[in-house]
Amino acid sequence: MSRALVRRETVSGYLFMLPCLIFFLGFVIYPMVQCIVTSFFDSTMNRDDIFIGLGNYAELFQDKIFLGALRNTVIIVIVSVPVVCIFSLWVSSVLYDLSGPLCSLFRCVFYLPVVTGSVAVTVVWKWMFNNYYGIFNYLGKNAGLIDKNINWLGDERFALGCIILILLTTSVGQPIVLYVSALGNVDQALVEAAEVDGATRLQVFWKIKWPQIKPTTLYILVITTINSFQCFALIQLLTSGGPNHSTDTIMYYIYYNAFKLYRYGYGNAMGVVLAIIIAVLSAIQFKASKSD
Amino acid sequence: MKINRHSCYKVIAILIIVIMAIAFAFPLYWIITGSFKTAKAINATTPQWWPSEWVLDNYQKLFSRQSAPLWELKIPLIKAAFRGPKVPAALRWLVNTVFMAVASMLLTCATSAMAGYALAKKRFIGRTVVFSLIVCAMALPKQVILIPLIREMSSLHMYNTIWAVILPIVGWPFGVFLIKQFSEGIPGEMLEAARIDGASEWKTFSTIALPMLKPGIGALAIFTFINSWNDYFMQLIMLSSTENLTISLGIAKLQAENSIDFGLIMAGAAVAAVPIIIVFIIFQKYFTKGITMGAVKG
């Protein structure tokens, strides 16, 4: 390309990018940089920030509540990511064989909890889990599974499990849509050739379909991991991290520090740690899927 | 024999999926029927699976609480404000939510269409740097930036206004990524031909690229609309006074104030959820496309 053309392309390219860059740099990149910078400061309302170096980070790893929140977050991720991936792959493999309208009907139903919105979903689950008026206690008692009412969300033994259950129902919608479309894109000629050669259905799946839907699986793994790490609305509306911090997650604890304790620097340090954890996990998932 | 075993598996699988689907649809069913139940039916220890008596009490209660002007237009320079007639606060929340979702949608589509096109079709210096920055930002949880965002918005005097919710949504680069993927499909020769004919850059974009990007923009529009409607987190941290709330936030507040009046809360949840579900069902095709296109190259 000639120099003049390069100049013209650069100028027009940036002019086209300009509106987007204003928003992107102003409301995404600038706060991210600020987040890293203030994590080295003792920062709160109505007072100048004080530089304390790695002080926030040092405190973080001695903070029992933070470590508990980290543990809960890890539990949520470890349980929900594999369940979401396997369940949605299985559902999609069944749906994919169904006729068009039926397939989109089911896909739509599994997507409903996502569209309904986290607040509406959460308040109805809160009612269903309620100690006195909830249907879970009613059903459990009638089926003979429990002999007296359980305060599901107020009991340290059950609260986190209930939250994971709700999270699962709001997480499988998108993976199912993705898998159904990925399975539809699998090269049919290969599948037929394998069937002619007498491959079993399981063999066809593992040897032919699986390699072709692997990029989709990677994407689903990454987004589900990020979503599970971000689990917030459920916690804030259902339990506020209680009882006794048993359902705190990192996201909720960041919010708690910012809005209840006004410890901005400390909250930002947690944000940085969370971002590093997610980046490392995504990199591992990416590497693992590339290696074989 | 083999075929038999397979069809047997298929029947059982479909049966399980039907049961799961009922379980997935149940919360929504429970919201809607619950919102029409009497207080007695709601507080019964034996649940009423189908309301024996349909009443509008809960909706009446929802729309008789608090009041706020229907709309408010502030003009910064002359410090004047125009306000609409007084209406129930829940109605104002709906107006706020619709305004927020539509504004986010329009701004996101406009900025992303231009930027995505440029990233795919312009060979400018620094293109790879900008694109890597976008991909990296997308992989990070956006809640990480909440504290700096709050401080930024309050220094811009936008804290507790609907714009504090809209601007970060527009800044989120998913749309750029989506449109870039879509723009790769525009044949370069067509753009080249337009340039040789002497069309300006803007004209090339608006008459050749834009019509070809329409399906992609449609998908992005519906995707942004639904996501911003449901983006509770950003609304929660940015909005506080009664007249500025969105519908989700209003329901969350109702719930915090009367945690056991489930009828009232279900009415609120229905008002928040039903419009967006209708939008989703109407535009489902575009929406599905938006999700799958974004994943083509994750």
Side-chain angles (χ1 to χ4, degrees):
Chain A
M1 279 199 291
S2 68
R3 277 185 85 97
L5 191 59
V6 171
R7 261 214 7 228
R8 185 183 148 146
E9 288 275 283
T10 303
V11 170
S12 67
Y14 278 104
L15 282 179
F16 275 115
M17 292 290 301
L18 188 66
C20 166
L21 283 180
I22 292 172
F23 288 104
F24 176 56
L25 295 177
F27 301 106
V28 177
I29 297 300
Y30 170 75
M32 276 183 185
V33 173
Q34 277 291 313
C35 175
I36 297 170
V37 173
T38 31
S39 72
F40 299 110
F41 286 83
D42 178 7
S43 158
T44 184
M45 284 206 305
N46 305 327
R47 145 165 97 60
D48 284 340
D49 296 355
I50 302 162
F51 182 76
I52 53 165
L54 290 171
N56 285 324
Y57 292 93
E59 186 185 342
L60 211 53
F61 290 99
Q62 281 156 10
D63 182 343
K64 284 230 171 62
I65 303 177
F66 173 75
L67 294 176
L70 186 63
R71 201 202 60 183
N72 288 337
T73 312
V74 170
I75 292 176
I76 292 175
V77 171
I78 287 178
V79 175
S80 69
V81 172
V83 174
V84 166
C85 286
I86 293 167
F87 178 78
S88 55
L89 180 57
W90 181 74
V91 170
S92 319
S93 71
V94 178
L95 290 188
Y96 166 69
D97 282 339
L98 296 177
S99 68
L102 214 55
C103 171
S104 44
L105 173 75
F106 278 115
R107 211 170 45 177
C108 195
V109 169
F110 284 111
Y111 209 88
L112 269 184
V114 186
V115 191
T116 309
S118 45
V119 178
V121 166
T122 311
V123 294
V124 73
W125 279 93
K126 193 166 189 178
W127 180 21
M128 298 198 292
F129 277 127
N130 186 277
N131 203 349
Y132 305 107
Y133 316 118
I135 59 165
F136 281 99
N137 275 332
Y138 172 80
L139 291 176
K141 266 198 304 203
N142 275 24
L145 295 174
I146 51 178
D147 48 358
K148 61 177 193 298
N149 281 356
I150 293 178
N151 187 3
W152 296 99
L153 297 169
D155 190 318
E156 279 183 46
R157 286 169 302 166
F158 302 115
L160 195 60
C162 297
I163 283 168
I164 293 176
L165 179 69
I166 306 173
L167 184 69
L168 289 177
T169 70
T170 58
S171 308
V172 296
Q174 196 173 349
I176 288 177
V177 172
L178 292 170
Y179 267 137
V180 168
S181 113
L183 286 170
N185 290 334
V186 168
D187 192 347
Q188 281 305 315
L190 280 176
V191 176
E192 275 160 30
E195 275 166 357
V196 169
D197 288 346
T200 64
R201 288 189 161 262
L202 212 62
Q203 277 173 330
V204 169
F205 180 80
W206 277 116
K207 295 274 152 68
I208 303 201
K209 292 186 179 168
W210 178 245
Q212 293 193 48
I213 58 173
K214 237 172 150 188
T216 309
T217 306
L218 171 67
Y219 181 73
I220 290 172
L221 275 177
V222 173
I223 57 166
T224 315
T225 310
I226 295 177
N227 279 342
S228 315
F229 267 112
Q230 292 184 357
C231 171
F232 171 82
L234 287 175
I235 313 275
Q236 195 245 346
L237 292 166
L238 284 177
T239 62
S240 304
N244 197 15
H245 293 289
S246 63
T247 58
D248 262 336
T249 59
I250 300 183
M251 256 342 292
Y252 183 76
Y253 197 49
I254 293 177
Y255 166 81
Y256 182 79
N257 269 281
F259 280 86
K260 304 277 153 51
L261 309 176
Y262 305 107
R263 297 188 62 193
Y264 301 137
Y266 193 49
N268 280 331
M270 274 178 234
V272 171
V273 171
L274 180 63
I276 291 172
I277 294 174
I278 292 182
V280 169
L281 273 182
S282 300
I284 291 173
Q285 288 171 338
F286 200 72
K287 264 269 162 61
S289 76
K290 278 280 143 82
S291 65
D292 51 33
Chain B
M1 184 60 205
K2 208 171 129 200
I3 289 167
N4 263 344
R5 216 174 62 197
H6 177 65
S7 46
C8 189
Y9 159 77
K10 218 173 151 182
V11 168
I12 295 171
I14 290 174
L15 204 70
I16 295 175
I17 285 187
V18 168
I19 295 170
M20 294 304 283
I22 291 171
F24 269 69
F26 184 79
L28 187 63
Y29 167 82
W30 211 231
I31 290 176
I32 293 170
T33 52
S35 71
F36 289 108
K37 281 179 189 166
T38 58
K40 211 176 128 216
I42 280 178
N43 292 340
T45 38
T46 310
Q48 262 187 20
W49 300 107
W50 180 255
S52 57
E53 196 186 339
W54 294 71
V55 290
L56 286 172
D57 292 5
N58 298 315
Y59 288 93
Q60 268 164 10
K61 228 192 289 175
L62 177 69
F63 286 104
S64 64
R65 295 169 54 86
Q66 301 166 312
S67 66
L70 184 59
W71 46 270
E72 207 170 358
L73 189 67
K74 281 206 183 92
I75 298 167
L77 287 176
I78 53 170
K79 298 219 158 143
F82 299 98
R83 291 190 179 83
K86 284 264 178 198
V87 291
L91 213 56
R92 171 66 190 268
W93 298 340
L94 267 179
V95 171
N96 286 342
T97 314
V98 172
F99 176 77
M100 177 206 68
V102 170
S104 314
M105 177 181 88
L106 293 178
L107 281 171
T108 306
C109 286
T111 59
S112 309
M114 287 164 63
Y117 162 76
L119 275 178
K121 289 293 158 191
K122 297 273 153 213
R123 294 283 166 269
F124 56 86
I125 300 160
R127 192 178 69 110
T128 14
V129 177
V130 175
F131 187 63
S132 335
L133 204 60
I134 285 177
V135 172
C136 289
M138 255 168 54
L140 289 176
K142 62 177 144 182
Q143 284 90 336
V144 166
I145 60 177
L146 91 104
I147 298 172
L149 257 186
I150 298 167
R151 299 179 106 192
E152 188 183 355
M153 288 303 172
S154 47
S155 62
L156 290 172
H157 301 288
M158 279 196 276
Y159 185 73
N160 191 23
T161 70
I162 207 83
W163 292 104
V165 180
I166 296 173
L167 300 181
I169 293 177
V170 178
W172 199 249
F174 173 76
V176 182
F177 185 77
L178 191 72
I179 301 290
K180 189 216 167 227
Q181 301 296 103
F182 212 83
S183 303
E184 307 280 9
I186 301 174
E189 305 86 63
M190 284 181 77
L191 303 174
E192 190 73 7
R195 203 171 58 204
I196 291 166
D197 286 349
S200 67
E201 290 288 349
W202 177 255
K203 192 130 196 245
T204 313
F205 170 69
S206 60
T207 57
I208 295 174
L210 210 51
M212 300 180 82
L213 289 178
K214 255 187 198 155
I217 296 173
L220 176 62
I222 187 68
F223 195 76
T224 314
F225 187 86
I226 294 182
N227 279 358
S228 58
W229 185 288
N230 286 334
D231 189 0
Y232 170 67
F233 186 80
M234 203 56 98
Q235 299 163 12
L236 172 75
I237 60 170
M238 290 300 178
L239 306 172
S240 55
S241 52
T242 309
E243 72 272 12
N244 287 333
L245 301 187
T246 57
I247 188 78
S248 321
L249 206 49
I251 308 317
K253 226 174 173 180
L254 270 185
Q255 196 244 189
E257 284 161 10
N258 349 253
S259 59
I260 51 161
D261 190 347
F262 290 111
L264 172 66
I265 299 166
M266 289 311 123
V271 169
V274 169
I276 198 70
I277 287 172
I278 293 172
V279 169
F280 167 70
I281 290 173
I282 295 174
F283 295 101
Q284 197 209 350
K285 238 188 221 146
Y286 291 97
F287 191 72
T288 316
K289 209 171 184 178
I291 296 176
T292 38
M293 273 197 314
V296 175
K297 245 185 88 52

